[in-house]
Amino acid sequence: MSDTATSSTEAAATTGAPASSATDAPKPRATQNRSTTPASSAFAEYIGSGWADRDETVPEPRDAVASAAAHRQAISDRHPGQRLIVPAGRLKQRSNDTDYPFRAHSAFTQLTGWGSDAEPGSVLVLEPTGNGHEATLFFRERAGRDSDEFYANPEIGEFWIGPRPSLTQVAGDLALPTRHISELRQVLDTLDESTLVVREADPELTAEIDSLRLVQLDDHDADASAEDADAELARDLSELRLTKNDWEVAELRAAVAATASGFDDIVRELPRVAEHDRGERIIEGVFNARARLDGNAVGYDTIAASGPHACILHWTRNNGPVRPGDLVLIDAGVEVDSLFTADITRTLPVSGTFTPTQRLVYEAVREAADAAYAIVRPGIRFREVHATAMEVIARRVAEWGMLPVSAEEALQADQQQHRRYMVHGTSHHLGLDVHDCAQARRDFYIDGEVRAGMTFTIEPGLYFQPDDLTVPEEFRGIGVRIEDDILVTETGAENLSIAIPRTADDVEAWIARLR
């Protein structure tokens, strides 16, 4: 990686904004003692001249525009007369002057349609008008070649990160009015009790808004009340995502299709995987390559858990071997450029065939998944999906002699012994976040009514820890999870990931075919 060739002092000189403002240009984390950027006027004059005209083509509006506009209208209807501030967030430091890849906050993408190409530090403002809200997108457009930003600022300069779009181009692309981020100051300077912000998206901007509230409202109680109102905004945005429109469902289908290709890639590589001391890493790398080829990235850290690691629910170290005779549990999802993600789990026999005990456990988990899927339709309660899967899990582990009570007793609310072998829930909503709609109220989520257009996972499992003395020895160290992505239809449900083999027989045939 090239050395960062500018100092904080030099970069600050390019912005001209007050140092205390959260809308300021980012300050590069380089240090003056290693800056080698030429400072002569001759260099500045030479590097600022002799460039071809930039491409100023304004794109046609992207496909996400109608979906984003519908979400803006819905949140406007819920918050009449209130100014709504929805930041994209900003770069997060990984180490010294390097950052994690930027990913906009889901609420920002929901309301703008700006996905993997969103600019860090952008802010959407919905300003109340007489009959709703007027949306404006604030972001830092590209610097002119007459500024030293484009060559001397490694965080936002064109020489360092590539060209950034103009205000006009983004306005056409997203069908939104745009303004330079520096003009956000005018919005903040007129902050009043009607202003709400998505707090978690940009903590620095949120802190500035909180400070302005204290000064401008001069009332600590009012400030606390404003934070409660902020939470309501986040809640409402989550609840609006509980059902998906046709465009959003199409994006989820694309994410599932890319994920299916990633699983095929893994199966093809199983012989190589089994030869390496860190075979789990090979699985992770193979899937991540597919995610980058067919999408933006992985939607979450891939779980590649072989042998007893499969009993660790969120095993993401992925540093162990993948041995023939073991099972490998792979929980992975591709996030496409719109930022919608799949979330799918398959458990594979590394050698290509299940042992009798592995098959017994695997088919019990599939039975639970199929039972849960069979009841999905509009009108049921979301919690019924989990309860149905648990009836199968309890019955099977009782049959295998693992419970101190009967299955019927274990299923009582004050018992639940079967949950020792599956402590997680069976389903969660899915969309822009892998665990989407997390700020929705309980009455709308776990206790809510299932509606057409909802998308969620069904993912029962059984996990017999290698040191669990309550299970027969032949079961110990076996972990199985089967996870599919489900769309609720007007009359029932569709398994979006059904094309990825699920039955034990189909999994064995899949491995044999691709090897």
Side-chain angles (χ1 to χ4, degrees):
M1 176 179 287
S2 299
D3 192 23
T4 304
T6 190
S7 70
S8 298
T9 302
E10 289 168 336
T14 70
T15 68
S20 61
S21 173
T23 61
D24 224 356
K27 302 299 188 295
R29 292 183 294 274
T31 54
Q32 288 181 323
N33 64 2
R34 62 184 178 92
S35 174
T36 59
T37 305
S40 68
S41 58
F43 170 79
E45 181 179 352
Y46 184 61
I47 199 170
S49 63
W51 300 101
D53 291 338
R54 281 169 157 159
D55 181 6
E56 301 293 346
T57 303
V58 177
E60 292 296 315
R62 64 179 62 187
D63 292 341
V65 161
S67 175
H71 282 296
R72 291 197 300 273
Q73 183 61 58
I75 200 65
S76 173
D77 292 343
R78 293 195 184 195
H79 292 270
Q82 294 179 298
R83 174 190 285 152
L84 311 179
I85 298 179
V86 185
R90 58 189 70 211
L91 292 166
K92 293 180 174 63
Q93 183 179 359
R94 182 183 186 277
S95 63
N96 191 29
D97 57 349
T98 64
D99 298 300
Y100 290 103
F102 177 69
R103 199 264 194 199
H105 190 276
S106 294
F108 176 87
T109 297
Q110 173 186 1
L111 297 180
T112 64
W114 217 356
S116 62
D117 54 342
E119 286 292 322
S122 303
V123 180
L124 177 71
V125 176
L126 299 180
E127 196 72 37
T129 61
N131 56 357
H133 286 80
E134 180 179 316
T136 303
L137 178 60
F138 295 81
F139 73 96
R140 187 175 304 282
E141 73 168 333
R142 62 193 183 195
R145 267 70 178 270
D146 56 347
S147 162
D148 64 355
E149 177 190 294
F150 89 104
Y151 68 85
N153 188 319
E155 290 192 9
I156 59 175
E158 184 174 325
F159 260 42
W160 296 88
I161 66 167
R164 303 199 312 279
S166 70
L167 294 174
T168 302
Q169 288 171 326
V170 172
D173 188 13
L174 302 180
L176 276 172
T178 56
R179 294 169 65 183
H180 194 275
I181 191 65
S182 61
E183 297 184 56
L184 183 62
R185 173 53 45 198
Q186 300 170 22
V187 175
L188 299 182
D189 286 345
T190 59
L191 181 147
D192 58 28
E193 64 275 6
S194 75
T195 301
L196 306 181
V197 62
V198 175
R199 299 185 64 80
E200 68 178 17
D202 187 336
E204 188 175 341
L205 180 58
T206 297
E208 183 171 356
I209 288 172
D210 285 345
S211 296
L212 290 168
R213 282 169 170 165
L214 286 173
V215 172
Q216 296 179 15
L217 303 180
D218 195 25
D219 182 345
H220 286 273
D221 291 337
D223 183 60
S225 177
E227 289 193 26
D228 290 341
D230 291 342
E232 290 180 9
L233 172 61
R235 178 202 72 194
D236 291 345
L237 287 166
S238 269
E239 290 176 359
L240 285 174
R241 296 206 301 272
L242 283 166
T243 57
K244 309 298 190 290
N245 58 44
D246 290 345
W247 178 82
E248 292 168 326
V249 171
E251 290 301 299
L252 281 169
R253 290 186 189 278
V256 168
T259 301
S261 295
F263 274 96
D264 282 348
D265 295 341
I266 291 168
V267 170
R268 291 188 184 96
E269 292 291 340
L270 279 178
R272 181 167 70 98
V273 167
E275 294 172 355
H276 200 282
D277 289 343
R278 302 174 97 184
E280 292 174 345
R281 288 276 166 94
I282 296 179
I283 290 174
E284 177 185 350
V286 167
F287 189 84
N288 288 6
R290 175 60 61 180
R292 292 293 283 164
L293 286 171
D294 289 358
N296 174 49
V298 290
Y300 53 95
D301 287 342
T302 297
I303 297 170
S306 186
H309 288 167
C311 300
I312 301 171
L313 301 181
H314 284 174
W315 174 259
T316 56
R317 295 180 190 175
N318 299 341
N319 60 2
V322 179
R323 296 187 176 95
D326 283 344
L327 299 177
V328 59
L329 185 158
I330 304 159
D331 187 333
V334 173
E335 176 188 87
V336 291
D337 285 323
S338 63
L339 304 188
F340 282 83
T341 185
D343 179 9
I344 296 164
T345 305
R346 291 293 185 264
T347 306
L348 311 177
V350 178
S351 61
T353 57
F354 293 95
T355 68
T357 303
Q358 290 169 349
R359 177 180 279 267
L360 184 69
V361 176
Y362 184 94
E363 287 294 275
V365 171
R366 184 175 68 86
E367 180 188 359
D370 289 350
Y373 175 73
I375 72 159
V376 176
R377 63 184 184 279
I380 68 166
R381 294 291 166 184
F382 188 63
R383 62 167 53 255
E384 294 177 51
V385 179
H386 173 73
T388 301
M390 287 302 94
E391 289 175 6
V392 176
I393 295 297
R395 186 169 66 251
R396 291 305 180 202
V397 295
E399 288 174 0
W400 300 335
M402 299 178 186
L403 297 183
V405 297
S406 68
E408 292 72 22
E409 290 173 294
L411 287 165
Q412 298 301 311
D414 61 349
Q415 296 294 315
Q416 300 289 299
Q417 290 90 341
H418 60 290
R419 296 297 303 279
R420 176 183 181 118
Y421 312 111
M422 181 186 153
V423 299
H424 63 79
T426 302
S427 298
H428 60 77
H429 282 271
L430 180 70
L432 281 171
D433 291 333
V434 65
H435 297 147
D436 207 17
C437 315
Q439 288 149 317
R441 286 166 288 187
R442 186 179 182 88
D443 287 348
F444 288 76
Y445 202 121
I446 187 65
D447 293 329
E449 181 180 308
V450 169
R451 290 175 285 156
M454 285 185 168
T455 52
F456 49 76
T457 66
I458 292 180
E459 51 177 308
L462 280 169
Y463 314 91
F464 301 120
Q465 303 294 335
D467 57 351
D468 190 341
L469 302 182
T470 69
V471 302
E473 186 173 358
E474 65 268 24
F475 286 84
R476 296 175 196 168
I478 292 178
V480 173
R481 182 163 66 250
I482 302 171
E483 178 181 22
D484 286 290
D485 298 344
I486 309 303
L487 167 67
V488 183
T489 66
E490 294 292 343
T491 57
E494 177 187 351
N495 184 342
L496 299 177
S497 47
I498 192 64
I500 306 174
R502 297 177 69 255
T503 72
D505 288 344
D506 286 348
V507 167
E508 290 179 345
W510 179 30
I511 294 172
R513 183 178 74 253
L514 293 185
R515 277 184 167 180

